[in-house]
Amino acid sequence: MFGFGKKKIEFVAPFAGTVVPVSEVPDPMFAGKMLGDGYAVIPYDDADQLAVVAPADGTLVKVFKTGHAFSMKTAEGVEVLVHIGLETVELKGQGFTILQESGSVTAGTPLVEVDLAAVREAGLNPITIVVFTKKGQIADVAVKAGATGAHPAAVATLA
């Protein structure tokens, strides 16, 4: 009833930036949690390149051929989607370098490199969204909003 004894999983930011709740993403599909609850990270304005890392330990399930998104499953079975930028699929892979396509990963493993300058030159928003896509897996998400640091970006409580 109160969540006592429920398993909690810590998720890191996929890169340095400012963490915000998914409800603050300037896209109605993500902000409305249609793909799931989660959090997002806004890269710092002075960043030109990003190494996007795994937000948790688990298995990399799929990396989209354009490099703009990937999905993974945590060791606890939680399904996670990381979407790099808004409308970045339109770049057709330009500015994205896939570093790993499948297999086991640990939190912090670099998976995709992004040329932020190319994303911004195309007029696209580089905010990166991390959502828990399978309904019923997550009971609550506590987002640690603000600048990334030593703490996790979010803690998800399993249902």
Side-chain angles (χ1 to χ4, degrees), residues 41-66:
V41 182
I42 303 164
Y44 294 126
D45 290 338
D46 61 352
D48 288 330
Q49 297 284 326
L50 287 181
V52 181
V53 304
D57 296 346
T59 302
L60 188 57
V61 176
K62 177 180 176 138
V63 178
F64 290 71
K65 67 181 179 181
T66 56

Side-chain angles (χ1 to χ4, degrees), residues 15-41:
F15 51 80
T18 303
V19 178
V20 297
V22 74
S23 60
E24 293 184 22
V25 173
D27 178 283
M29 184 175 62
F30 287 113
K33 301 181 183 179
M34 291 178 215
L35 291 177
D37 200 355
Y39 60 100
V41 182

Side-chain angles (χ1 to χ4, degrees), residues 5 32 38 40 64 67 80 96 112 118 129 135 151-152 157:
F64 290 71
V80 181
F96 294 86
V112 178
I129 304 99
K135 294 200 183 295
H151 59 77
T157 303

Side-chain angles (χ1 to χ4, degrees), residues 65-149:
K65 67 181 179 181
T66 56
H68 79 286
F70 60 87
S71 63
M72 61 177 293
K73 188 179 274 193
T74 70
E76 298 81 8
V78 175
E79 295 179 13
V80 181
L81 172 70
V82 177
H83 194 283
I84 306 164
L86 297 177
E87 308 298 332
T88 48
V89 69
E90 294 174 5
L91 294 174
K92 298 182 175 134
Q94 181 182 359
F96 294 86
T97 303
I98 297 169
L99 304 175
Q100 185 170 334
E101 294 187 31
S102 63
S104 295
V105 296
T106 57
T109 301
L111 302 176
V112 178
E113 284 183 353
V114 182
D115 180 351
L116 273 182
V119 172
R120 289 180 176 131
E121 284 172 17
L124 302 175
N125 187 334
I127 190 170
T128 295
I129 304 99
V130 179
V131 291
F132 311 112
T133 56
K134 189 168 182 184
K135 294 200 183 295
Q137 284 189 315
I138 301 295
D140 180 60
V141 178
V143 177
K144 310 288 187 178
T148 56

